[in-house]
PDB file of all heavy atoms in Angstrom:
ATOM      1  N   ASN A  11     129.430  97.680  75.199  1.00  0.00           N
ATOM      2  CA  ASN A  11     129.897  98.862  75.930  1.00  0.00           C
ATOM      3  C   ASN A  11     130.871  99.725  75.118  1.00  0.00           C
ATOM      4  O   ASN A  11     131.270 100.789  75.555  1.00  0.00           O
ATOM      5  CB  ASN A  11     130.586  98.397  77.222  1.00  0.00           C
ATOM      6  CG  ASN A  11     130.738  99.492  78.244  1.00  0.00           C
ATOM      7  OD1 ASN A  11     129.769 100.156  78.598  1.00  0.00           O
ATOM      8  ND2 ASN A  11     131.966  99.714  78.719  1.00  0.00           N
ATOM      9  N   THR A  13     133.951  99.742  74.778  1.00  0.00           N
ATOM     10  CA  THR A  13     134.875 100.202  75.815  1.00  0.00           C
ATOM     11  C   THR A  13     136.097 100.934  75.259  1.00  0.00           C
ATOM     12  O   THR A  13     136.597 101.862  75.887  1.00  0.00           O
ATOM     13  CB  THR A  13     135.332  98.977  76.660  1.00  0.00           C
ATOM     14  OG1 THR A  13     134.185  98.454  77.334  1.00  0.00           O
ATOM     15  CG2 THR A  13     136.394  99.356  77.675  1.00  0.00           C
ATOM     16  N   TYR A  14     136.576 100.516  74.097  1.00  0.00           N
ATOM     17  CA  TYR A  14     137.876 101.020  73.639  1.00  0.00           C
ATOM     18  C   TYR A  14     137.789 102.223  72.707  1.00  0.00           C
ATOM     19  O   TYR A  14     138.777 102.604  72.093  1.00  0.00           O
ATOM     20  CB  TYR A  14     138.647  99.879  72.963  1.00  0.00           C
ATOM     21  CG  TYR A  14     138.770  98.680  73.862  1.00  0.00           C
ATOM     22  CD1 TYR A  14     138.044  97.526  73.610  1.00  0.00           C
ATOM     23  CD2 TYR A  14     139.570  98.714  75.001  1.00  0.00           C
ATOM     24  CE1 TYR A  14     138.126  96.421  74.451  1.00  0.00           C
ATOM     25  CE2 TYR A  14     139.656  97.626  75.850  1.00  0.00           C
ATOM     26  CZ  TYR A  14     138.933  96.485  75.564  1.00  0.00           C
ATOM     27  OH  TYR A  14     139.007  95.411  76.403  1.00  0.00           O
ATOM     28  N   ARG A  24     125.689 104.687  80.024  1.00  0.00           N
ATOM     29  CA  ARG A  24     125.436 104.567  81.465  1.00  0.00           C
ATOM     30  C   ARG A  24     123.939 104.364  81.738  1.00  0.00           C
ATOM     31  O   ARG A  24     123.544 103.474  82.481  1.00  0.00           O
ATOM     32  CB  ARG A  24     125.956 105.824  82.169  1.00  0.00           C
ATOM     33  CG  ARG A  24     125.979 105.739  83.676  1.00  0.00           C
ATOM     34  CD  ARG A  24     126.744 106.890  84.296  1.00  0.00           C
ATOM     35  NE  ARG A  24     126.284 108.193  83.835  1.00  0.00           N
ATOM     36  CZ  ARG A  24     127.021 109.055  83.134  1.00  0.00           C
ATOM     37  NH1 ARG A  24     128.256 108.772  82.819  1.00  0.00           N
ATOM     38  NH2 ARG A  24     126.522 110.221  82.749  1.00  0.00           N
ATOM     39  N   GLY A  34     115.853  93.635  85.962  1.00  0.00           N
ATOM     40  CA  GLY A  34     115.747  92.262  86.459  1.00  0.00           C
ATOM     41  C   GLY A  34     115.847  91.217  85.363  1.00  0.00           C
ATOM     42  O   GLY A  34     115.799  90.023  85.623  1.00  0.00           O
ATOM     43  N   ARG A  35     115.995  91.657  84.135  1.00  0.00           N
ATOM     44  CA  ARG A  35     116.080  90.705  83.015  1.00  0.00           C
ATOM     45  C   ARG A  35     117.485  90.153  82.874  1.00  0.00           C
ATOM     46  O   ARG A  35     118.466  90.851  83.140  1.00  0.00           O
ATOM     47  CB  ARG A  35     115.737  91.403  81.708  1.00  0.00           C
ATOM     48  CG  ARG A  35     114.299  91.785  81.563  1.00  0.00           C
ATOM     49  CD  ARG A  35     114.080  92.169  80.122  1.00  0.00           C
ATOM     50  NE  ARG A  35     112.776  92.763  79.934  1.00  0.00           N
ATOM     51  CZ  ARG A  35     112.257  93.003  78.742  1.00  0.00           C
ATOM     52  NH1 ARG A  35     112.924  92.702  77.659  1.00  0.00           N
ATOM     53  NH2 ARG A  35     111.066  93.541  78.628  1.00  0.00           N
ATOM     54  N   PRO A  36     117.577  88.927  82.391  1.00  0.00           N
ATOM     55  CA  PRO A  36     118.911  88.433  82.038  1.00  0.00           C
ATOM     56  C   PRO A  36     119.401  89.154  80.787  1.00  0.00           C
ATOM     57  O   PRO A  36     118.602  89.533  79.931  1.00  0.00           O
ATOM     58  CB  PRO A  36     118.672  86.949  81.752  1.00  0.00           C
ATOM     59  CG  PRO A  36     117.236  86.844  81.400  1.00  0.00           C
ATOM     60  CD  PRO A  36     116.521  87.951  82.135  1.00  0.00           C
ATOM     61  N   PHE A  37     120.689  89.372  80.700  1.00  0.00           N
ATOM     62  CA  PHE A  37     121.254  89.948  79.477  1.00  0.00           C
ATOM     63  C   PHE A  37     122.742  89.619  79.386  1.00  0.00           C
ATOM     64  O   PHE A  37     123.367  89.255  80.378  1.00  0.00           O
ATOM     65  CB  PHE A  37     121.027  91.474  79.426  1.00  0.00           C
ATOM     66  CG  PHE A  37     121.720  92.272  80.497  1.00  0.00           C
ATOM     67  CD1 PHE A  37     122.983  92.814  80.292  1.00  0.00           C
ATOM     68  CD2 PHE A  37     121.096  92.504  81.729  1.00  0.00           C
ATOM     69  CE1 PHE A  37     123.612  93.559  81.276  1.00  0.00           C
ATOM     70  CE2 PHE A  37     121.717  93.246  82.720  1.00  0.00           C
ATOM     71  CZ  PHE A  37     122.979  93.774  82.495  1.00  0.00           C
ATOM     72  N   ALA A  39     126.414  91.240  78.314  1.00  0.00           N
ATOM     73  CA  ALA A  39     127.075  92.523  78.101  1.00  0.00           C
ATOM     74  C   ALA A  39     128.511  92.248  77.677  1.00  0.00           C
ATOM     75  O   ALA A  39     129.191  91.434  78.302  1.00  0.00           O
ATOM     76  CB  ALA A  39     127.043  93.349  79.384  1.00  0.00           C
ATOM     77  N   ASP A  42     133.329  94.892  74.056  1.00  0.00           N
ATOM     78  CA  ASP A  42     133.525  95.422  72.716  1.00  0.00           C
ATOM     79  C   ASP A  42     133.167  94.358  71.674  1.00  0.00           C
ATOM     80  O   ASP A  42     133.862  93.354  71.535  1.00  0.00           O
ATOM     81  CB  ASP A  42     134.994  95.841  72.563  1.00  0.00           C
ATOM     82  CG  ASP A  42     135.199  96.714  71.346  1.00  0.00           C
ATOM     83  OD1 ASP A  42     135.091  96.183  70.227  1.00  0.00           O
ATOM     84  OD2 ASP A  42     135.455  97.906  71.522  1.00  0.00           O
ATOM     85  N   CYS A  44     133.379  94.551  68.513  1.00  0.00           N
ATOM     86  CA  CYS A  44     134.423  94.445  67.477  1.00  0.00           C
ATOM     87  C   CYS A  44     135.476  93.419  67.903  1.00  0.00           C
ATOM     88  O   CYS A  44     135.882  92.563  67.105  1.00  0.00           O
ATOM     89  CB  CYS A  44     135.107  95.795  67.242  1.00  0.00           C
ATOM     90  SG  CYS A  44     134.067  97.049  66.516  1.00  0.00           S
ATOM     91  N   GLU A  45     135.899  93.518  69.142  1.00  0.00           N
ATOM     92  CA  GLU A  45     136.928  92.596  69.621  1.00  0.00           C
ATOM     93  C   GLU A  45     136.431  91.153  69.569  1.00  0.00           C
ATOM     94  O   GLU A  45     137.149  90.240  69.151  1.00  0.00           O
ATOM     95  CB  GLU A  45     137.335  92.952  71.053  1.00  0.00           C
ATOM     96  CG  GLU A  45     138.492  92.134  71.563  1.00  0.00           C
ATOM     97  CD  GLU A  45     138.532  92.035  73.064  1.00  0.00           C
ATOM     98  OE1 GLU A  45     137.684  91.310  73.629  1.00  0.00           O
ATOM     99  OE2 GLU A  45     139.396  92.666  73.675  1.00  0.00           O
ATOM    100  N   ARG A  49     137.923  87.998  67.395  1.00  0.00           N
ATOM    101  CA  ARG A  49     138.323  86.734  68.036  1.00  0.00           C
ATOM    102  C   ARG A  49     137.429  85.567  67.625  1.00  0.00           C
ATOM    103  O   ARG A  49     137.621  84.451  68.077  1.00  0.00           O
ATOM    104  CB  ARG A  49     138.301  86.884  69.565  1.00  0.00           C
ATOM    105  CG  ARG A  49     139.458  87.678  70.122  1.00  0.00           C
ATOM    106  CD  ARG A  49     139.587  87.528  71.624  1.00  0.00           C
ATOM    107  NE  ARG A  49     138.536  88.219  72.351  1.00  0.00           N
ATOM    108  CZ  ARG A  49     137.465  87.652  72.870  1.00  0.00           C
ATOM    109  NH1 ARG A  49     137.296  86.354  72.744  1.00  0.00           N
ATOM    110  NH2 ARG A  49     136.562  88.357  73.493  1.00  0.00           N
ATOM    111  N   ARG A  71     124.163  98.300  60.369  1.00  0.00           N
ATOM    112  CA  ARG A  71     125.011  97.748  59.300  1.00  0.00           C
ATOM    113  C   ARG A  71     126.320  97.237  59.898  1.00  0.00           C
ATOM    114  O   ARG A  71     126.828  96.183  59.522  1.00  0.00           O
ATOM    115  CB  ARG A  71     125.282  98.846  58.248  1.00  0.00           C
ATOM    116  CG  ARG A  71     125.839  98.331  56.936  1.00  0.00           C
ATOM    117  CD  ARG A  71     125.637  99.344  55.816  1.00  0.00           C
ATOM    118  NE  ARG A  71     126.480 100.520  55.928  1.00  0.00           N
ATOM    119  CZ  ARG A  71     127.621 100.699  55.259  1.00  0.00           C
ATOM    120  NH1 ARG A  71     128.043  99.776  54.427  1.00  0.00           N
ATOM    121  NH2 ARG A  71     128.309 101.801  55.399  1.00  0.00           N
ATOM    122  N   TRP A  75     127.467  93.120  60.032  1.00  0.00           N
ATOM    123  CA  TRP A  75     128.680  92.638  59.357  1.00  0.00           C
ATOM    124  C   TRP A  75     129.756  92.226  60.356  1.00  0.00           C
ATOM    125  O   TRP A  75     130.653  91.447  60.004  1.00  0.00           O
ATOM    126  CB  TRP A  75     129.162  93.649  58.320  1.00  0.00           C
ATOM    127  CG  TRP A  75     128.160  93.758  57.198  1.00  0.00           C
ATOM    128  CD1 TRP A  75     127.371  94.824  56.889  1.00  0.00           C
ATOM    129  CD2 TRP A  75     127.786  92.714  56.281  1.00  0.00           C
ATOM    130  NE1 TRP A  75     126.529  94.520  55.843  1.00  0.00           N
ATOM    131  CE2 TRP A  75     126.768  93.230  55.443  1.00  0.00           C
ATOM    132  CE3 TRP A  75     128.203  91.396  56.079  1.00  0.00           C
ATOM    133  CZ2 TRP A  75     126.176  92.478  54.428  1.00  0.00           C
ATOM    134  CZ3 TRP A  75     127.613  90.647  55.071  1.00  0.00           C
ATOM    135  CH2 TRP A  75     126.610  91.192  54.261  1.00  0.00           C
ATOM    136  N   LYS A  86     118.708  88.779  59.362  1.00  0.00           N
ATOM    137  CA  LYS A  86     118.292  90.149  59.661  1.00  0.00           C
ATOM    138  C   LYS A  86     116.879  90.240  60.240  1.00  0.00           C
ATOM    139  O   LYS A  86     116.582  91.075  61.059  1.00  0.00           O
ATOM    140  CB  LYS A  86     118.392  91.007  58.413  1.00  0.00           C
ATOM    141  CG  LYS A  86     119.836  91.215  57.994  1.00  0.00           C
ATOM    142  CD  LYS A  86     119.941  92.139  56.824  1.00  0.00           C
ATOM    143  CE  LYS A  86     121.401  92.212  56.392  1.00  0.00           C
ATOM    144  NZ  LYS A  86     121.613  93.095  55.266  1.00  0.00           N
ATOM    145  N   ARG A  95     124.776 105.295  69.209  1.00  0.00           N
ATOM    146  CA  ARG A  95     125.516 106.439  68.662  1.00  0.00           C
ATOM    147  C   ARG A  95     124.556 107.543  68.262  1.00  0.00           C
ATOM    148  O   ARG A  95     124.924 108.709  68.259  1.00  0.00           O
ATOM    149  CB  ARG A  95     126.349 106.026  67.441  1.00  0.00           C
ATOM    150  CG  ARG A  95     127.605 105.279  67.808  1.00  0.00           C
ATOM    151  CD  ARG A  95     128.462 104.954  66.604  1.00  0.00           C
ATOM    152  NE  ARG A  95     129.243 106.111  66.171  1.00  0.00           N
ATOM    153  CZ  ARG A  95     130.393 106.020  65.487  1.00  0.00           C
ATOM    154  NH1 ARG A  95     130.880 104.837  65.166  1.00  0.00           N
ATOM    155  NH2 ARG A  95     131.043 107.102  65.133  1.00  0.00           N
TER     156      ARG A  95
ATOM    157  N   THR B   8     139.403  83.029  76.292  1.00  0.00           N
ATOM    158  CA  THR B   8     138.946  84.148  77.116  1.00  0.00           C
ATOM    159  C   THR B   8     138.181  83.596  78.308  1.00  0.00           C
ATOM    160  O   THR B   8     137.846  82.405  78.326  1.00  0.00           O
ATOM    161  CB  THR B   8     138.003  85.080  76.327  1.00  0.00           C
ATOM    162  OG1 THR B   8     136.905  84.293  75.864  1.00  0.00           O
ATOM    163  CG2 THR B   8     138.716  85.714  75.160  1.00  0.00           C
ATOM    164  N   TYR B  28     124.938  97.176  88.683  1.00  0.00           N
ATOM    165  CA  TYR B  28     125.479  98.158  87.736  1.00  0.00           C
ATOM    166  C   TYR B  28     126.957  98.430  88.019  1.00  0.00           C
ATOM    167  O   TYR B  28     127.783  98.459  87.091  1.00  0.00           O
ATOM    168  CB  TYR B  28     124.683  99.473  87.795  1.00  0.00           C
ATOM    169  CG  TYR B  28     125.348 100.567  86.997  1.00  0.00           C
ATOM    170  CD1 TYR B  28     125.293 100.575  85.604  1.00  0.00           C
ATOM    171  CD2 TYR B  28     126.087 101.574  87.631  1.00  0.00           C
ATOM    172  CE1 TYR B  28     125.952 101.541  84.866  1.00  0.00           C
ATOM    173  CE2 TYR B  28     126.748 102.549  86.901  1.00  0.00           C
ATOM    174  CZ  TYR B  28     126.663 102.525  85.519  1.00  0.00           C
ATOM    175  OH  TYR B  28     127.330 103.481  84.792  1.00  0.00           O
ATOM    176  N   LEU B  35     133.048  95.575  82.395  1.00  0.00           N
ATOM    177  CA  LEU B  35     133.081  95.954  80.974  1.00  0.00           C
ATOM    178  C   LEU B  35     134.224  96.922  80.695  1.00  0.00           C
ATOM    179  O   LEU B  35     134.913  96.818  79.677  1.00  0.00           O
ATOM    180  CB  LEU B  35     131.748  96.581  80.563  1.00  0.00           C
ATOM    181  CG  LEU B  35     130.530  95.654  80.587  1.00  0.00           C
ATOM    182  CD1 LEU B  35     129.258  96.432  80.308  1.00  0.00           C
ATOM    183  CD2 LEU B  35     130.691  94.527  79.569  1.00  0.00           C
ATOM    184  N   ASN B  36     134.425  97.848  81.612  1.00  0.00           N
ATOM    185  CA  ASN B  36     135.508  98.819  81.397  1.00  0.00           C
ATOM    186  C   ASN B  36     136.881  98.164  81.478  1.00  0.00           C
ATOM    187  O   ASN B  36     137.874  98.756  81.053  1.00  0.00           O
ATOM    188  CB  ASN B  36     135.392  99.968  82.405  1.00  0.00           C
ATOM    189  CG  ASN B  36     134.232 100.883  82.060  1.00  0.00           C
ATOM    190  OD1 ASN B  36     133.871 101.021  80.890  1.00  0.00           O
ATOM    191  ND2 ASN B  36     133.617 101.480  83.059  1.00  0.00           N
ATOM    192  N   VAL B  41     130.353  89.718  80.087  1.00  0.00           N
ATOM    193  CA  VAL B  41     129.543  89.447  81.277  1.00  0.00           C
ATOM    194  C   VAL B  41     128.164  88.932  80.876  1.00  0.00           C
ATOM    195  O   VAL B  41     127.593  89.375  79.879  1.00  0.00           O
ATOM    196  CB  VAL B  41     129.346  90.743  82.113  1.00  0.00           C
ATOM    197  CG1 VAL B  41     128.707  90.421  83.456  1.00  0.00           C
ATOM    198  CG2 VAL B  41     130.653  91.477  82.320  1.00  0.00           C
ATOM    199  N   ARG B  43     124.450  88.505  82.842  1.00  0.00           N
ATOM    200  CA  ARG B  43     123.663  88.583  84.083  1.00  0.00           C
ATOM    201  C   ARG B  43     122.539  87.581  83.915  1.00  0.00           C
ATOM    202  O   ARG B  43     121.744  87.690  82.975  1.00  0.00           O
ATOM    203  CB  ARG B  43     123.088  89.984  84.270  1.00  0.00           C
ATOM    204  CG  ARG B  43     122.241  90.113  85.517  1.00  0.00           C
ATOM    205  CD  ARG B  43     121.602  91.491  85.607  1.00  0.00           C
ATOM    206  NE  ARG B  43     120.877  91.631  86.851  1.00  0.00           N
ATOM    207  CZ  ARG B  43     119.649  91.180  87.063  1.00  0.00           C
ATOM    208  NH1 ARG B  43     119.006  90.561  86.091  1.00  0.00           N
ATOM    209  NH2 ARG B  43     119.063  91.333  88.236  1.00  0.00           N
ATOM    210  N   HIS B 110     142.640  91.722  77.636  1.00  0.00           N
ATOM    211  CA  HIS B 110     141.880  92.642  76.795  1.00  0.00           C
ATOM    212  C   HIS B 110     142.544  94.001  76.625  1.00  0.00           C
ATOM    213  O   HIS B 110     142.252  94.714  75.673  1.00  0.00           O
ATOM    214  CB  HIS B 110     140.474  92.828  77.372  1.00  0.00           C
ATOM    215  CG  HIS B 110     139.710  91.551  77.477  1.00  0.00           C
ATOM    216  ND1 HIS B 110     139.007  91.035  76.420  1.00  0.00           N
ATOM    217  CD2 HIS B 110     139.579  90.669  78.492  1.00  0.00           C
ATOM    218  CE1 HIS B 110     138.448  89.885  76.783  1.00  0.00           C
ATOM    219  NE2 HIS B 110     138.785  89.646  78.034  1.00  0.00           N
ATOM    220  N   LYS B 114     143.650  97.523  71.003  1.00  0.00           N
ATOM    221  CA  LYS B 114     142.447  98.297  70.718  1.00  0.00           C
ATOM    222  C   LYS B 114     141.844  97.733  69.429  1.00  0.00           C
ATOM    223  O   LYS B 114     142.493  97.749  68.385  1.00  0.00           O
ATOM    224  CB  LYS B 114     142.783  99.777  70.516  1.00  0.00           C
ATOM    225  CG  LYS B 114     141.564 100.600  70.156  1.00  0.00           C
ATOM    226  CD  LYS B 114     141.867 102.077  69.980  1.00  0.00           C
ATOM    227  CE  LYS B 114     140.612 102.815  69.547  1.00  0.00           C
ATOM    228  NZ  LYS B 114     140.819 104.253  69.378  1.00  0.00           N
ATOM    229  N   PHE B 117     139.788  97.604  63.078  1.00  0.00           N
ATOM    230  CA  PHE B 117     140.055  96.828  61.861  1.00  0.00           C
ATOM    231  C   PHE B 117     138.881  97.012  60.895  1.00  0.00           C
ATOM    232  O   PHE B 117     137.790  97.416  61.316  1.00  0.00           O
ATOM    233  CB  PHE B 117     140.250  95.332  62.196  1.00  0.00           C
ATOM    234  CG  PHE B 117     139.088  94.723  62.924  1.00  0.00           C
ATOM    235  CD1 PHE B 117     138.032  94.148  62.232  1.00  0.00           C
ATOM    236  CD2 PHE B 117     139.033  94.732  64.312  1.00  0.00           C
ATOM    237  CE1 PHE B 117     136.945  93.601  62.909  1.00  0.00           C
ATOM    238  CE2 PHE B 117     137.951  94.174  64.990  1.00  0.00           C
ATOM    239  CZ  PHE B 117     136.912  93.613  64.287  1.00  0.00           C
ATOM    240  N   ASP B 121     131.191  94.967  54.179  1.00  0.00           N
ATOM    241  CA  ASP B 121     129.754  94.871  53.913  1.00  0.00           C
ATOM    242  C   ASP B 121     129.606  94.122  52.588  1.00  0.00           C
ATOM    243  O   ASP B 121     129.770  94.700  51.509  1.00  0.00           O
ATOM    244  CB  ASP B 121     129.173  96.288  53.826  1.00  0.00           C
ATOM    245  CG  ASP B 121     127.699  96.310  53.426  1.00  0.00           C
ATOM    246  OD1 ASP B 121     127.185  95.265  52.981  1.00  0.00           O
ATOM    247  OD2 ASP B 121     127.062  97.378  53.559  1.00  0.00           O
ATOM    248  N   ASP B 123     127.077  93.053  51.143  1.00  0.00           N
ATOM    249  CA  ASP B 123     125.973  93.482  50.278  1.00  0.00           C
ATOM    250  C   ASP B 123     126.469  94.498  49.250  1.00  0.00           C
ATOM    251  O   ASP B 123     125.839  94.705  48.220  1.00  0.00           O
ATOM    252  CB  ASP B 123     124.856  94.123  51.107  1.00  0.00           C
ATOM    253  CG  ASP B 123     123.984  93.078  51.794  1.00  0.00           C
ATOM    254  OD1 ASP B 123     124.117  91.886  51.450  1.00  0.00           O
ATOM    255  OD2 ASP B 123     123.184  93.466  52.668  1.00  0.00           O
ATOM    256  N   LEU B 173     133.795  99.113  56.318  1.00  0.00           N
ATOM    257  CA  LEU B 173     133.411  99.856  57.528  1.00  0.00           C
ATOM    258  C   LEU B 173     134.534  99.805  58.552  1.00  0.00           C
ATOM    259  O   LEU B 173     135.261  98.818  58.637  1.00  0.00           O
ATOM    260  CB  LEU B 173     132.190  99.247  58.217  1.00  0.00           C
ATOM    261  CG  LEU B 173     131.038  98.672  57.430  1.00  0.00           C
ATOM    262  CD1 LEU B 173     130.022  98.099  58.408  1.00  0.00           C
ATOM    263  CD2 LEU B 173     130.414  99.748  56.616  1.00  0.00           C
ATOM    264  N   PRO B 175     133.787 100.333  62.376  1.00  0.00           N
ATOM    265  CA  PRO B 175     132.693 100.711  63.280  1.00  0.00           C
ATOM    266  C   PRO B 175     133.055 101.803  64.291  1.00  0.00           C
ATOM    267  O   PRO B 175     132.176 102.518  64.766  1.00  0.00           O
ATOM    268  CB  PRO B 175     132.366  99.393  63.991  1.00  0.00           C
ATOM    269  CG  PRO B 175     132.745  98.332  63.009  1.00  0.00           C
ATOM    270  CD  PRO B 175     133.984  98.876  62.331  1.00  0.00           C
ATOM    271  N   LYS B 176     134.340 101.957  64.583  1.00  0.00           N
ATOM    272  CA  LYS B 176     134.726 102.982  65.555  1.00  0.00           C
ATOM    273  C   LYS B 176     135.122 104.303  64.888  1.00  0.00           C
ATOM    274  O   LYS B 176     135.597 105.214  65.559  1.00  0.00           O
ATOM    275  CB  LYS B 176     135.894 102.467  66.416  1.00  0.00           C
ATOM    276  CG  LYS B 176     135.494 101.346  67.353  1.00  0.00           C
ATOM    277  CD  LYS B 176     136.675 100.876  68.183  1.00  0.00           C
ATOM    278  CE  LYS B 176     136.249  99.932  69.278  1.00  0.00           C
ATOM    279  NZ  LYS B 176     135.540  98.746  68.817  1.00  0.00           N
ATOM    280  N   TYR B 177     134.937 104.415  63.577  1.00  0.00           N
ATOM    281  CA  TYR B 177     135.292 105.653  62.887  1.00  0.00           C
ATOM    282  C   TYR B 177     134.324 106.761  63.292  1.00  0.00           C
ATOM    283  O   TYR B 177     133.178 106.509  63.661  1.00  0.00           O
ATOM    284  CB  TYR B 177     135.260 105.432  61.373  1.00  0.00           C
ATOM    285  CG  TYR B 177     135.862 106.568  60.582  1.00  0.00           C
ATOM    286  CD1 TYR B 177     137.212 106.875  60.704  1.00  0.00           C
ATOM    287  CD2 TYR B 177     135.082 107.343  59.730  1.00  0.00           C
ATOM    288  CE1 TYR B 177     137.770 107.924  59.987  1.00  0.00           C
ATOM    289  CE2 TYR B 177     135.627 108.384  59.005  1.00  0.00           C
ATOM    290  CZ  TYR B 177     136.975 108.673  59.141  1.00  0.00           C
ATOM    291  OH  TYR B 177     137.521 109.715  58.423  1.00  0.00           O
ATOM    292  N   PRO B 181     129.772 107.328  55.921  1.00  0.00           N
ATOM    293  CA  PRO B 181     129.210 105.984  56.095  1.00  0.00           C
ATOM    294  C   PRO B 181     130.256 104.954  56.555  1.00  0.00           C
ATOM    295  O   PRO B 181     129.926 103.793  56.725  1.00  0.00           O
ATOM    296  CB  PRO B 181     128.705 105.633  54.698  1.00  0.00           C
ATOM    297  CG  PRO B 181     129.668 106.336  53.790  1.00  0.00           C
ATOM    298  CD  PRO B 181     130.072 107.611  54.501  1.00  0.00           C
TER     299      PRO B 181
END
Side-chain angles (χ1 to χ4, degrees):
Chain A
N11 197 53
T13 295
Y14 306 108
R24 190 169 53 244
R35 290 192 189 190
F37 64 92
D42 195 290
C44 293
E45 186 204 73
R49 285 194 288 101
R71 195 161 71 99
W75 294 112
K86 292 184 184 180
R95 283 184 79 155
Chain B
T8 58
Y28 171 75
L35 294 174
N36 287 331
V41 189
R43 179 184 184 278
H110 301 275
K114 177 179 177 179
F117 57 89
D121 175 347
D123 281 349
L173 322 178
K176 291 180 170 57
Y177 191 64

